[in-house]
Amino acid sequence: MDEQDITQLFREVIRQAGSIDVAEAEFKKMIGEDSDLRATYRQWCDEVGSSERRGFLDFCDEYLADQDSVWDTLDNDYDQ
């Protein structure tokens, strides 16, 4: 699993969970049960400069900000 794969997994977990709290709990469960996923997650955290504790939440924050930005752009286009 590479960086693109793990971020795709993050997006899928967020989409399925419906909330960040539930997504975080589900992801923690996943890395607790899968040592390969945990190793990939550790490597991803190192690469992006996040702690293992905050890595998933940091991704969520950025992902949600990007989603808001898309809606803001669409809103601005619609208003004009």
Side-chain angles (χ1 to χ4, degrees), residues 24 28 38 41 45 50-58:
E24 180 186 24
K28 284 182 177 181
R38 184 173 189 95
Y41 176 63
C45 287
S50 287
S51 68
E52 286 182 50
R53 183 176 195 158
R54 287 276 322 159
F56 182 77
L57 291 175
D58 289 345

Side-chain angles (χ1 to χ4, degrees), residues 57-74:
L57 291 175
D58 289 345
F59 177 86
C60 290
D61 290 344
E62 185 175 321
Y63 177 74
L64 292 176
D66 288 346
Q67 296 299 308
D68 286 345
S69 177
V70 168
W71 284 110
D72 290 344
T73 300
L74 290 173

Side-chain angles (χ1 to χ4, degrees), residues 36-51:
D36 290 337
L37 177 59
R38 184 173 189 95
T40 302
Y41 176 63
R42 279 186 180 145
Q43 181 179 356
W44 178 85
C45 287
D46 285 343
E47 290 172 4
V48 299
S50 287
S51 68

Side-chain angles (χ1 to χ4, degrees), residues 1-9 40-41 43-44 47:
M1 180 177 281
D2 62 15
E3 182 177 336
Q4 184 176 3
D5 292 338
I6 197 161
T7 56
Q8 182 61 37
L9 175 65
T40 302
Y41 176 63
Q43 181 179 356
W44 178 85
E47 290 172 4

